[in-house]
Amino acid sequence: MDKLIIEGGVKLKGEVTVSGAKNAVLPILAATLLTDEPCVIKGVPNLRDTHSMLKILRPLGKIAEFDKGRVSVTAGKAPNYIAEYKLVSTMRASFCVLGPLLGKLKKAKVSLPGGCVIGVRPVDLHLKGIRALGADISIDSGYVIAKTNKLHGAYIYLGGVYGSSVLATDNVMMAAVLAGGKTIIESAACEPEVVDLAEFLIKMGAKIKGHGTPVIEIEGVKHLHGAVHSIIPDRIEAGTLILASLITGGDVLIKNVQYRHLGALIDKLDEAGAHLERVGAALRVKGNKKLRSVNITTLPYPGFPTDMQAQMMSLMSVTGGISVITEKIYPDRFMHVAELNRMGAHIQREGPHAIVEGIKSLSGAPVMASDLRASAGLVLAGLAARGATSISRIYHLERGYEFIEKKLINLGAKVWREKE
Ligand code: UD1
């Protein structure tokens, strides 16, 4: 296993390009199961999670090749309907093969993904929606077994205790596109990645309206065909790079940014007094201003993303004043608090809140990454800290940030990898 060493205190400077969105590409790859015709996906980030999804598609009967950001998926041997535990357990997003397998083959056996370090992460909403479409569902030996003679359209309320669910919306939408009649998903997730999936399905011949709003309408069709699609830029990577520039007092031009996808973050940074300049499809971020602390509450899109919470906490830990960070999507997603405190941060957790008392500077320390976004938060803290920070279990970062070390090094950061 590798660890990442960061010698902090360098102001990041230069240009960097955001990669394709991880959370868009994973369900879009799953959606290729809905057709036997070839699909081509462009702008695909070279991530551990991307390759995990390709590994899941292959035993399901697909020939899936990755070449320089382009994935081609074609039908191989006879399709299979079983997604094994050893593959599904590596990545939760792989559970979204359930909807397309059921839609196309009328049967699916998909391992339950299990919880993870950020919380319990149930799949009740996925199953509720798919059941409503006429599937018979049972759970046996850790697998969801779903069967149907024919899926039919239905009215489905998909809100849960924590609001809408991204992957449940994806799963149900993918099952409904080949169902007979009309499906209405109410309290659907509005995330840009759900919209990107819907756009891909529409290119395949699906009839979908309302994606990007809480009410999605799907008119089932008999057949979907192959399609070519380019993935939207990753808003979480863009947000992480924005904070990297701010926390180091840098001056970075971030290219390939969908400004509209970053509303809640940009609004908070505006409130904090940050200087962000929009330059076409790029954003220039100058970290030369003293920031004010701000309070954050994570919410489903278009609210502040939970996937930016750890990174924002790192910024607030070196911003004067008190910031209250409230996590409303995953109330236990605070594994990074103890690690930031090891670097000298003053953060106290109280239930779903973290109270951050900003200090002048952090000091480098050995810390451990617990999950993908926590790792990103620790990288930001390391970039800003005095001295060296070593982050172990850095494989988490590779799940979601394409060429991140290279990108940071190009911006002047002193970052390298060592064996643990
Ligand atoms: C997706 C993202 C992840 C992000 C999360 C929230 C992908 C691949 N991953 O994960 O990066 O952090 O959205 O924005 O897109 N819930 C239930 N029952 C369910 C499903 C979810 O109670 O059946 C709960 C979850 O435990 C959580 C909340 O709903 O508290 C939102 O989770 P959800 O939107 O489903 O997250 P994912 O789609 O798994």
Side-chain angles (χ1 to χ4, degrees):
M1 266 196 281
D2 286 350
K3 59 182 177 181
L4 197 70
I5 317 289
I6 304 175
E7 186 69 49
V10 179
K11 293 177 192 261
L12 300 188
K13 286 206 162 59
E15 294 184 7
V16 62
T17 303
V18 173
S19 301
K22 169 182 90 74
N23 288 353
V25 82
L26 300 176
I28 284 175
L29 288 174
T32 63
L33 291 165
L34 286 161
T35 182
D36 294 326
E37 296 179 22
C39 292
V40 174
I41 320 296
K42 299 179 187 169
V44 177
N46 191 356
L47 301 171
R48 188 183 284 251
D49 277 10
T50 306
H51 293 286
S52 299
M53 189 50 106
L54 299 180
K55 276 190 198 147
I56 285 161
L57 292 183
R58 287 178 191 128
L60 296 173
K62 291 292 189 189
I63 298 169
E65 303 298 342
F66 180 95
D67 183 30
K68 296 190 198 92
R70 184 178 187 276
V71 169
S72 65
V73 184
T74 49
K77 52 185 184 190
N80 172 24
Y81 66 97
I82 303 172
E84 304 272 1
Y85 174 69
K86 68 173 189 302
L87 293 172
V88 176
S89 60
T90 60
M91 182 184 67
R92 214 186 132 74
S94 47
F95 192 66
C96 70
V97 298
L98 178 67
L101 282 178
L102 187 68
K104 182 77 171 41
L105 305 176
K106 310 279 181 280
K107 57 184 176 180
K109 181 175 173 185
V110 180
S111 169
L112 283 162
C116 68
V117 72
I118 67 171
V120 183
R121 305 189 80 178
V123 291
D124 55 315
L125 296 172
H126 299 239
L127 301 188
K128 173 184 169 184
I130 282 174
R131 211 173 250 134
L133 294 172
D136 187 21
I137 293 183
S138 56
I139 311 256
D140 189 20
S141 308
Y143 280 78
V144 172
I145 300 168
K147 288 184 265 192
T148 184
N149 291 330
K150 186 168 173 16
L151 293 179
H152 54 73
Y155 168 85
I156 304 164
Y157 182 81
L158 216 48
V161 276
Y162 298 106
S164 55
S165 161
V166 175
L167 287 175
T169 303
D170 291 346
N171 234 338
V172 175
M173 189 160 67
M174 287 191 278
V177 285
L178 288 177
K182 188 184 214 162
T183 296
I184 295 178
I185 306 176
E186 186 120 33
S187 199
C190 303
E191 270 70 0
E193 295 77 19
V194 176
V195 176
D196 208 30
L197 170 63
E199 294 293 343
F200 177 61
L201 293 169
I202 290 168
K203 285 180 187 166
M204 294 173 84
K207 290 193 177 151
I208 303 174
K209 286 197 298 201
H211 43 299
T213 80
V215 185
I216 299 180
E217 275 186 43
I218 302 155
E219 192 66 54
V221 295
K222 286 215 159 64
H223 169 83
L224 292 179
H225 48 76
V228 178
H229 187 73
S230 293
I231 297 295
I232 55 169
D234 196 308
R235 64 194 164 100
I236 305 301
E237 188 198 350
T240 305
L241 291 167
I242 292 171
L243 298 199
S245 184
L246 291 175
I247 205 167
T248 62
D251 182 356
V252 178
L253 184 74
I254 305 169
K255 295 170 155 176
N256 194 29
V257 174
Q258 276 273 8
Y259 194 79
R260 283 196 48 213
H261 295 169
L262 291 163
L265 175 68
I266 289 174
D267 184 62
K268 274 293 159 190
L269 294 176
D270 200 37
E271 190 186 329
H275 184 71
L276 269 59
E277 185 192 340
R278 199 172 162 180
V279 191
L283 204 54
R284 182 161 182 205
V285 185
K286 282 197 201 167
N288 56 355
K289 283 172 92 183
K290 206 167 156 43
L291 300 183
R292 294 180 287 278
S293 62
V294 287
N295 297 333
I296 306 287
T297 300
T298 65
L299 287 168
Y301 189 86
F304 192 93
T306 173
D307 286 352
M308 283 301 301
Q309 184 253 101
Q311 302 90 312
M312 196 66 181
M313 192 180 292
S314 295
L315 180 67
M316 288 299 105
S317 68
V318 288
T319 300
I322 304 274
S323 162
V324 179
I325 297 183
T326 304
E327 178 53 69
K328 288 236 172 146
I329 311 282
Y330 300 111
D332 287 323
R333 191 177 206 175
F334 285 119
M335 306 300 285
H336 41 285
V337 168
E339 302 305 304
L340 289 172
N341 283 344
R342 297 195 76 252
M343 298 177 72
H346 290 182
I347 308 170
Q348 197 182 328
R349 178 172 169 198
E350 289 188 11
H353 311 287
I355 296 138
V356 186
E357 187 192 339
I359 56 167
K360 227 168 168 219
S361 67
L362 297 167
S363 59
V367 289
M368 193 185 285
S370 55
D371 65 85
L372 169 58
R373 306 305 172 186
S375 325
L378 294 176
V379 169
L380 296 188
L383 289 170
R386 281 174 286 112
T389 296
S390 76
I391 308 175
S392 56
R393 304 203 176 166
I394 203 63
Y395 56 86
H396 289 294
L397 203 63
E398 293 158 6
R399 288 194 41 214
Y401 290 91
E402 187 184 44
F403 310 133
I404 188 69
E405 285 152 77
K406 210 165 138 194
K407 287 184 182 184
L408 292 174
I409 289 166
N410 282 344
L411 294 172
K414 290 191 186 144
V415 180
W416 66 95
R417 207 172 260 256
E418 282 179 11
K419 287 264 169 271
E420 291 219 44

